[in-house]
Amino acid sequence: MSATAMNPASRAAALSRMATEELDVLVVGGGVTGAGIVLDAVTRGLRVGIVEGQDWASGTSSRSSKLLHGGLRYLQALDFKLVNEALHERELLLATLAPHLGKPVSFLYPLTKKYIERPYVAAGITLYDVMARLGAKATSPFHRHHTLAGVQKLFPDVRPDVMVGAIQYWDGRVDDARLTLTLVRTAVEYGALAANRVRVTDFVKTNGRVSGAEVTDLESGENFTIKAKHVIAAAGVWTEATQDLAEAQGGLKVLASKGIHIVVPKERLNGEVGFILQTEKSVLFIIPWERYWVIGTTDTPYEQDYVHPVASQADIDYVIDHANVVLQKPITRDDVIGTWAGLRPLLQPATKGDGTASTKVSREHTVTEAAPGLVTIAGGKLTTYRVMAEDAVDFALGESQAKAKPSQTKKTPLMGAAGYSVLSAQADTLGREFGWDATRVTHLLNRYGSEINTLIAQCREQEDLAKPVEHAPDYLRAEFAYGCTHEGALHLEDLLVNRTRLTYEIADSGLAALPEIAALAAEKLGWDDARRDAEIAAYTARVEAERDAASQPDDASAAQARSAAPEVVDAVN
């Protein structure tokens, strides 16, 4: 049986209900934290809605390093509790909650000194491995030691003069946007109401307490009110702006830090594993994916447009220069087929105002009542979204209600997880009727899990959906159709930026494939020719603006170049 679909019709129905029914909880913000909160709340039996001003995961949660990790650097700070929490959440995701989306990935930690460094680093990584296994099912091997010769076997393109050996350890990787979308879809499956591209313009109050929000549907321009007993804002770098709408006297203070990544074709580097490198500003990862390498990140203060951060020339050069420290065949700008930039919401040490608001603080995230009735959460990281969500809902409900309705998410697999292992064992034969090989089926399983059966059913009903997209053959036509019928895509850019990663994983950002993908979207979403052409023009303008930005020397000029492309809702309406 097909899972609940998210599409324009379901979105309209959700908005209608949110406008007429009082919710127990309204979640503002559709990144991974907000998505985790709405799932946590609905599985406790609460009436829940979530709104997001852009597309799902379009902020930080589609622009991370896409890693599930405990944070080796926190061990250096002796923050054992934080590392232990993150490692357990990593294992929970990889083994139980989302084994179809998260995968183990190994990295080499270079050693530059012959004798002193190896025991010291090994002690830390041993502790890392042991902590991951305490009370959890291990999803990856114990770390391994390598001489320089061993490193060269795993990564022949390594420079032999920059290390004497390495320690290989395992963490996890995940498509962050798909994880966020899957959290929202799972919540909808359990009865949550969800609508993207709905902007909160104000909060409403009853007797001085926040009791809902005034919102605008950016697709239709309609304004309405959503009433709720509790409002939880998970707005990331927009935390302070959201609190200001409620005229909060206290609240959280967040600064934005930009991190960028570059994408390089898989064949450009001869290696099987990744690297973790220390730089003067941040940690740099060289991360293997199936068809390319992801290299990043930076860590720089950011004061430009929060909606569309972009990589500048300086950012790209920084990443290339630091990656080339270990590469025997240095990469150049010509090797970069894509980039992305994201903003980390860095939580500041104290709350705003007089600091008297009740607050729950951890090293990574903080939950507070910014104004009466408005709970705000900020900080944290992708790996620990579930813990953050549980803390936020517990805080909003209060101790007695939280005990009466405890969190269920530790034992709630995400959509696609159930049956995934069985279907994976059938990868050689599962798509035989369509001529799909095991690589194709594995690609689908790792994106949709057991929901592959819905795609197969769609292909049986419409045979042309089983074919690859001509100019983006790693994807089937069915995946773009499914994005429209089941994953809530409203625009062409939704399909190329967050439902797939074509915007940065092939050199032309998917432009050659646009006519075919747009025709599919028009068919499934009921667009006329004018709307289809406007969608193509809007996505093309976005790509051109981001390319122009990547050639600019600094953040200010890059942001100015990116601003040349209008918002998609303005461009097509």
Side-chain angles (χ1 to χ4, degrees):
M1 185 176 182
S2 176
T4 301
M6 285 173 55
N7 51 44
S10 70
R11 177 181 179 275
L15 285 173
S16 177
R17 288 186 58 189
M18 282 193 273
T20 56
E21 301 175 13
E22 184 183 32
L23 303 174
D24 291 320
V25 177
L26 171 64
V27 182
V28 178
V32 72
T33 306
I37 291 169
V38 76
L39 178 60
D40 185 281
V42 76
T43 51
R44 298 185 194 220
L46 301 171
R47 293 171 295 173
V48 190
I50 181 171
V51 293
E52 159 60 39
Q54 302 176 70
D55 189 20
W56 305 114
S58 59
T60 306
S61 297
S62 60
R63 299 163 179 265
S64 73
S65 295
K66 308 187 190 305
L67 293 176
L68 300 171
H69 63 115
L72 268 179
R73 70 179 184 271
Y74 293 119
L75 280 184
Q76 295 175 325
L78 304 180
D79 199 336
F80 303 118
K81 182 178 179 182
L82 180 62
V83 174
N84 183 65
E85 178 181 84
L87 285 171
H88 281 198
E89 291 301 311
R90 182 196 77 182
E91 293 304 291
L92 189 62
L93 279 160
L94 294 176
T96 304
L97 301 184
H100 54 313
L101 300 176
K103 303 295 173 185
V105 60
S106 70
F107 295 97
L108 295 174
Y109 188 109
L111 303 171
T112 58
K113 299 179 179 64
K114 279 192 175 182
Y115 305 112
I116 300 174
E117 191 178 17
R118 189 180 291 271
Y120 171 75
V121 174
I125 295 179
T126 298
L127 179 60
Y128 195 71
D129 282 344
V130 169
M131 290 171 73
R133 285 160 170 77
L134 291 175
K137 176 184 176 183
T139 58
S140 53
F142 215 66
H143 72 272
R144 298 169 184 171
H145 288 258
H146 295 287
T147 62
L148 176 58
V151 171
Q152 290 174 312
K153 287 181 181 179
L154 290 170
F155 203 102
D157 273 356
V158 72
R159 277 182 57 184
D161 60 325
V162 296
M163 64 188 74
V164 297
I167 296 179
Q168 182 183 12
Y169 76 98
W170 275 258
D171 258 321
R173 72 177 192 202
V174 69
D175 182 330
D176 48 4
R178 291 207 67 78
L179 174 63
T180 303
L181 177 63
T182 304
L183 284 163
V184 175
R185 291 195 65 204
T186 307
V188 170
E189 180 80 353
Y190 286 113
L193 305 174
N196 55 346
R197 290 201 162 85
V198 174
R199 178 179 297 153
V200 173
T201 57
D202 202 357
F203 290 106
V204 296
K205 296 182 179 180
T206 303
N207 298 323
R209 180 180 176 83
V210 172
S211 56
E214 299 284 356
V215 303
T216 299
D217 177 1
L218 298 180
E219 296 295 321
S220 68
E222 181 184 358
N223 301 309
F224 57 93
T225 303
I226 302 175
K227 296 179 180 179
K229 296 174 183 175
H230 305 280
V231 178
I232 304 177
V237 292
W238 291 275
T239 293
E240 291 184 57
T242 304
Q243 292 172 159
D244 288 345
L245 289 177
E247 300 177 332
Q249 298 302 306
L252 303 179
K253 184 174 177 59
V254 172
L255 295 180
S257 173
K258 187 174 76 165
I260 77 112
H261 295 77
I262 65 173
V263 180
V264 174
K266 195 64 180 286
E267 61 272 14
R268 178 58 181 79
L269 301 180
N270 185 8
E272 301 174 10
V273 299
F275 271 98
I276 178 173
L277 309 171
Q278 298 278 354
T279 74
E280 68 276 12
K281 294 181 181 178
S282 62
V283 174
L284 191 86
F285 287 97
I286 301 176
I287 310 167
W289 285 78
E290 284 79 3
R291 301 188 300 277
Y292 46 81
W293 298 86
V294 169
I295 307 175
T297 182
T298 56
D299 189 1
T300 55
Y302 189 75
E303 298 177 351
Q304 309 301 320
D305 172 37
Y306 283 2
V307 178
H308 298 297
V310 283
S312 69
Q313 174 76 61
D315 295 325
I316 296 168
D317 288 344
Y318 175 90
V319 171
I320 289 174
D321 290 346
H322 284 79
N324 283 340
V325 169
V326 298
L327 298 178
Q328 190 166 219
K329 302 173 185 176
I331 57 177
T332 69
R333 279 295 300 265
D334 291 339
D335 295 313
V336 177
I337 60 173
T339 68
W340 73 81
L343 302 179
R344 301 180 191 89
L346 298 182
L347 191 61
Q348 297 309 288
T351 57
K352 293 171 62 180
D354 60 11
T356 58
S358 56
T359 304
K360 178 173 181 179
V361 182
S362 80
R363 281 293 298 273
E364 276 288 283
H365 67 270
T366 298
V367 187
T368 190
E369 189 173 46
L374 175 65
V375 171
T376 305
I377 183 167
K381 61 181 180 179
L382 185 75
T383 309
T384 56
Y385 80 85
R386 195 198 64 80
V387 175
M388 295 172 64
E390 182 177 343
D391 284 350
V393 178
D394 279 352
F395 188 94
L397 293 181
E399 186 175 353
S400 62
Q401 285 191 61
K403 281 186 177 181
K405 292 180 177 289
S407 177
Q408 304 293 315
T409 54
K410 202 167 187 178
K411 54 187 179 182
T412 305
L414 303 189
M415 182 180 290
Y420 165 72
S421 60
V422 174
L423 290 166
S424 295
Q426 302 170 356
D428 289 335
T429 59
L430 195 58
R432 184 174 292 170
E433 64 184 290
F434 305 114
W436 302 342
D437 61 14
T439 300
R440 172 78 68 187
V441 174
T442 299
H443 158 86
L444 294 172
L445 285 169
N446 290 346
R447 283 170 53 76
Y448 306 98
S450 55
E451 265 291 278
I452 190 176
N453 287 323
T454 304
L455 274 81
I456 288 173
Q458 289 186 326
C459 291
R460 286 172 179 157
E461 292 176 6
Q462 187 176 337
E463 291 182 4
D464 68 287
L465 294 182
K467 298 176 182 179
V469 173
E470 182 180 359
H471 295 290
D474 292 313
Y475 291 98
L476 295 176
R477 288 168 55 83
E479 297 184 71
F480 295 94
Y482 184 84
C484 297
T485 60
H486 284 71
E487 294 183 334
L490 301 174
H491 297 281
L492 202 51
E493 76 169 33
D494 298 350
L495 294 170
L496 282 90
V497 177
N498 288 332
R499 306 309 182 279
T500 66
R501 300 185 292 266
L502 283 178
T503 191
Y504 57 72
E505 68 181 7
I506 60 176
D508 78 340
S509 300
L511 291 179
L514 273 189
E516 183 176 357
I517 297 169
L520 278 166
E523 175 190 338
K524 300 302 179 184
L525 296 175
W527 295 344
D528 59 18
D529 290 350
R531 172 64 184 272
R532 181 200 61 206
D533 293 346
E535 290 281 349
I536 291 175
Y539 181 74
T540 302
R542 175 189 176 118
V543 170
E544 292 173 349
E546 290 185 344
R547 288 178 177 175
D548 187 14
S551 68
Q552 302 300 319
D554 53 39
D555 280 350
S557 55
Q560 180 66 30
R562 176 60 180 85
S563 68
E567 293 297 323
V568 65
V569 290
D570 298 325
V572 303
N573 290 332

